[in-house]
Amino acid sequence: MAGWGKIRSVADLPVEGQRVFVRVDFNVPLTPARGVADDGRIKAALPTIKHLIERGARVVLASHLGRPKGKPDPAFSMEPVAARLADLLKQDVLLTDEPVGDGARKVVSDLRAGQVALLENLRWSEGEEANDEQFARGLASYAQIYVNDAFGTAHRAHASTVGMIKYVTGGRGAGFLMIKEVEFLSRLLGEVERPFLAVVGGAKVSDKMAVLENLLGRVSAMLIGGAMANTFLKAQGKAVGKSRVEEDKLALARSFLRKAEERGVNVLLPRDVVVAPALDATSGHVVSVDAIPEGEMALDIGPDTARGFGDEIARARTLFWNGPMGLFESRPFAAGTQAVAQALAANTRCLSVVGGGDSAAAVEQLGLSDKITHISTGGGASLELIEGKELPGVKALEDDAPAPGSEQDGGAA
Ligand code: ADP
Ligand code: MG
């Protein structure tokens, strides 16, 4: 299997018998009792890990977990992750007692072909996020070959995603998950079948404005829901009661709507919404967006809007969805998000890509994951890619540039 451009796939690296450092994204949610609440990210890395085991590599896995503030903290130990991974692989996973140090070195150097070690939480050291040279060299000393399969952190230039790579001399490349993520998300930035819809919701306009801007030149229409729709509604002069609004983004929202109109891109905003007096309300009622009561807030798109969005989604041939249509974690305000997910699942002719932690969780909760072409494991990273940015963790995987003047065919691998 080929990688893309100047980047090699793990399948094309000479990993047999070698110590291979694999940056994975095992930043999973934990239960209060410190179990793994959702092992989706662990499962997503299995194809790369199993491939390396089968080829007799000595596998050194590393990830961050949570925010342990740069020092050892048992609350953020990788221990539950190591246990779950061992279950999934049906073989031992040797957990080191620190990310870098004598204990870790011993575990790694004793590894035999096909064995797997997991370094303790990389963010137990300040060196990880600071991309510290010393820490990066320490990590690099564990392996002859470097593989990155952690798409979820590819938008960060940390020691394990960028800094260490130049010190690993036996080869570098992308894991299968990384390749899949970049391929599907990049596809949306190339020639796609139309209609191409963007469905955008979630908390804030400010998080997603760059994505909206970059998609504006590509999509046939844009459907906007969630709390960010409130800011657009208010920008259009509507009274939105106590709804969450970003007052400082009203001008931006207005200029965005103007640009969309100039380009002839239809932006669909909610026509009706489900409102309630507070975020913790146990029920809501439906009103037109022209009649949002002063003391209430919009917490979901209404049924009329959901139907309209559903009709558009049914006709789409390509679709990118980021951000839930409402406060979907709360049952009375989940129907809009559910309707969008169901319409998307029912459209079997659509290339559908879902990005964003909460939107992905919503699709999974509804049991519709297998009806979506690609669900990204990386929230921030998927957004930055769609914004058109270059991800440092992807860029760093490129082979050293060929010498000036020598035309090299990178795609023939
Ligand atoms: P994603 O993780 O998919 O990118 P975001 O993090 O941007 O999505 O937004 C998800 C959050 O936005 C959820 O917690 C959801 O409850 C909240 N949300 C969506 N719509 C509303 C709304 N109308 N009012 C308040 N919160 C909302
Ligand atoms: Mg989120």
Side-chain angles (χ1 to χ4, degrees):
M1 188 203 231
W4 63 107
K6 283 182 277 179
I7 296 175
R8 282 197 280 174
S9 160
V10 59
D12 300 326
L13 293 169
V15 299
E16 285 79 6
Q18 302 293 304
R19 269 183 279 116
V20 180
F21 183 104
V22 190
R23 180 43 159 112
V24 285
D25 180 6
F26 286 169
N27 185 26
V28 296
L30 298 176
T31 64
R34 299 205 62 259
V36 173
D38 176 354
D39 62 5
R41 285 181 164 176
I42 304 178
K43 285 183 173 155
L46 289 179
T48 297
I49 300 170
K50 286 182 172 166
H51 172 87
L52 289 168
I53 293 171
E54 275 159 26
R55 290 178 62 198
R58 298 181 282 162
V59 185
V60 181
L61 304 173
S63 175
H64 74 280
L65 175 64
R67 299 186 176 280
K69 305 210 173 79
K71 55 179 187 299
D73 179 347
F76 296 102
S77 168
M78 300 301 291
E79 200 273 317
V81 174
R84 178 62 61 91
L85 177 63
D87 285 347
L88 291 167
L89 288 174
K90 300 189 187 69
Q91 77 173 62
D92 286 344
V93 172
L94 306 164
L95 179 65
T96 65
D97 57 1
E98 56 204 335
V100 165
D102 293 339
R105 175 170 312 285
K106 174 89 175 81
V107 169
V108 165
S109 57
D110 287 350
L111 276 181
R112 291 192 304 270
Q115 284 192 322
V116 176
L118 173 62
L119 301 184
E120 245 315 346
N121 195 339
L122 292 168
R123 290 193 192 165
W124 274 16
S125 167
E126 281 178 343
E128 168 62 357
E129 288 185 89
N131 195 4
D132 173 69
E133 281 303 309
Q134 204 58 33
F135 186 69
R137 278 177 195 270
L139 293 175
S141 72
Y142 296 153
Q144 289 103 13
I145 290 178
Y146 176 89
V147 171
N148 194 343
D149 209 21
F151 177 71
T153 35
H155 59 316
R156 303 276 181 245
H158 293 166
S160 68
T161 60
V162 173
M164 67 179 286
I165 301 178
K166 59 182 174 295
Y167 301 118
V168 181
T169 51
R172 62 184 73 156
F176 298 124
L177 174 64
M178 176 73 92
I179 291 174
K180 196 167 115 198
E181 289 274 13
V182 177
E183 276 183 357
F184 275 110
L185 289 160
S186 306
R187 233 197 254 184
L188 300 180
L189 300 179
E191 281 299 314
V192 296
E193 273 195 72
R194 305 182 82 81
F196 176 12
L197 285 193
V199 183
V200 190
K204 291 195 202 143
V205 173
S206 46
D207 288 345
K208 312 220 165 138
M209 204 53 179
V211 172
L212 293 181
E213 297 268 1
N214 198 35
L215 287 173
L216 193 57
R218 303 170 191 278
V219 297
S220 323
M222 228 174 238
L223 317 184
I224 298 182
M228 69 183 271
N230 302 330
T231 300
F232 282 98
L233 291 172
K234 182 148 189 190
Q236 288 183 325
K238 298 196 193 301
V240 295
K242 279 166 50 187
S243 302
R244 283 176 62 165
V245 166
E246 286 169 275
E247 296 289 344
D248 59 337
K249 294 292 177 295
L250 293 174
L252 195 64
R254 229 171 273 130
S255 93
F256 179 81
L257 291 172
R258 214 171 20 243
K259 264 187 259 174
E261 201 177 323
E262 280 161 18
R263 283 175 174 269
V265 175
N266 201 5
V267 177
L268 275 73
L269 290 167
R271 298 189 290 236
D272 60 343
V273 285
V274 181
V275 295
L279 289 168
D280 59 0
T282 52
S283 68
H285 62 105
V286 177
V287 297
S288 152
V289 290
D290 295 310
I292 298 174
E294 207 177 316
E296 303 203 83
M297 49 175 74
L299 295 174
D300 194 10
I301 57 172
D304 183 33
T305 305
R307 234 177 345 261
F309 282 13
D311 291 345
E312 293 290 332
I313 292 168
R315 282 192 293 271
R317 286 290 169 272
T318 307
L319 187 146
F320 175 66
W321 179 17
N322 176 285
M325 296 292 103
L327 187 76
F328 77 104
E329 303 93 328
S330 173
R331 189 181 291 263
F333 312 109
T337 301
Q338 201 166 332
V340 162
Q342 275 158 352
L344 189 52
N347 182 346
T348 52
R349 294 172 61 189
C350 184
L351 170 82
S352 51
V353 178
V354 176
D358 292 288
S359 349
V363 171
E364 263 145 42
Q365 265 169 36
L366 293 164
L368 299 171
S369 313
D370 59 338
K371 302 280 201 296
I372 307 296
T373 316
H374 181 68
I375 299 180
S376 177
T377 53
S382 68
L383 287 180
E384 290 200 13
L385 220 157
I386 298 292
E387 281 169 27
K389 286 192 191 152
E390 189 170 67
L391 307 184
V394 173
K395 174 80 181 156
L397 295 177
E398 289 182 1
D399 281 328
D400 294 336
S406 74
E407 254 311 273
Q408 198 174 301
D409 183 10

